[in-house]
C-alpha cells in the first residue's frame, strides 16, 4: 500500500489520505514499541553487567603463592577492561614494565 523512500512515506494513488495517515501512525507505533523493548533489554543487560563487575571480581594481581599471609590487592583483566583495539598495546607495555621492574633498568 505504501513504501518508504528515505524517511518520506509515498502512497499508492489508490489509497486515500486517511489510509496513508493510519498506515504511517501504525508504523510509528510499531517502531516506538520496538524501541521500548530494546531499551528494556539494554537496561537489563547494563544492570547484569554492573552486578557482574562488582560481585565476580576477585583481586588477582600481583599473583602471590597461597601460603603467604598477604593477598593480591588489585583486579586486572585486560581482555574485559580494555577495548579490543588496545589490548595488544596494553599487554606489550605491561610485559615491558615487568621486565624493567625485574631487571632494574
Amino acid at each position: 500500500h505504501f513504501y518508504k523512500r528515505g524517511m518520506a512515506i509515498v502512497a499508492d494513488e489508490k489509497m486515500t489520505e486517511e489510509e496513508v495517515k493510519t498506515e504511517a501512525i501504525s508504523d510509528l507505533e510499531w517502531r516506538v514499541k520496538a524501541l521500548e523493548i530494546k531499551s528494556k533489554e539494554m537496561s537489563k543487560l547494563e544492570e547484569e553487567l554492573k552486578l557482574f563487575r562488582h560481585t565476580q571480581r576477585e583481586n588477582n594481581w600481583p599473583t602471590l603463592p597461597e601460603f603467604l599471609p598477604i593477598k593480591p590487592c588489585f583486579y586486572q583483566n585486560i581482555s574485559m577492561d580494555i577495548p579490543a583495539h588496545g589490548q595488544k598495546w596494553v599487554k606489550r607495555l605491561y610485559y615491558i614494565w615487568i621486565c624493567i621492574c625485574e631487571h632494574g633498568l
Side-chain angles (χ1 to χ4, degrees):
H1 295 4
F2 71 96
Y3 60 94
K4 297 175 189 156
R5 187 182 315 153
M7 293 303 287
I9 296 175
V10 180
D12 291 340
E13 294 173 6
K14 297 176 185 175
M15 290 181 69
T16 67
E17 192 174 319
E18 187 64 33
E19 290 174 331
V20 171
K21 287 181 183 176
T22 304
E23 285 285 331
I25 290 172
S26 65
D27 182 55
L28 288 174
E29 289 173 348
W30 179 84
R31 288 175 185 235
V32 167
K33 286 180 184 178
L35 285 173
E36 288 172 353
I37 291 169
K38 278 286 189 196
S39 175
K40 288 178 184 176
E41 289 175 2
M42 292 297 294
S43 295
K44 183 179 176 184
L45 288 173
E46 286 175 355
E47 288 299 318
E48 288 176 2
L49 183 60
K50 285 179 187 176
L51 287 173
F52 174 76
R53 286 191 172 183
H54 294 295
T55 59
Q56 301 297 321
R57 288 186 173 194
E58 186 176 318
N59 292 342
N60 62 358
W61 194 87
T63 53
L64 300 168
E66 290 292 321
F67 64 85
L68 289 178
I70 57 173
K71 301 295 178 203
C73 53
F74 298 105
Y75 175 80
Q76 175 182 345
N77 187 343
I78 292 172
S79 62
M80 189 168 133
D81 295 334
I82 307 295
H85 67 275
Q87 289 179 11
K88 183 170 75 171
W89 284 105
V90 170
K91 286 179 183 177
R92 285 182 182 170
L93 291 171
Y94 174 72
Y95 293 133
I96 289 170
W97 179 72
I98 293 292
C99 288
I100 290 172
C101 289
E102 181 69 28
H103 299 292
L105 297 175

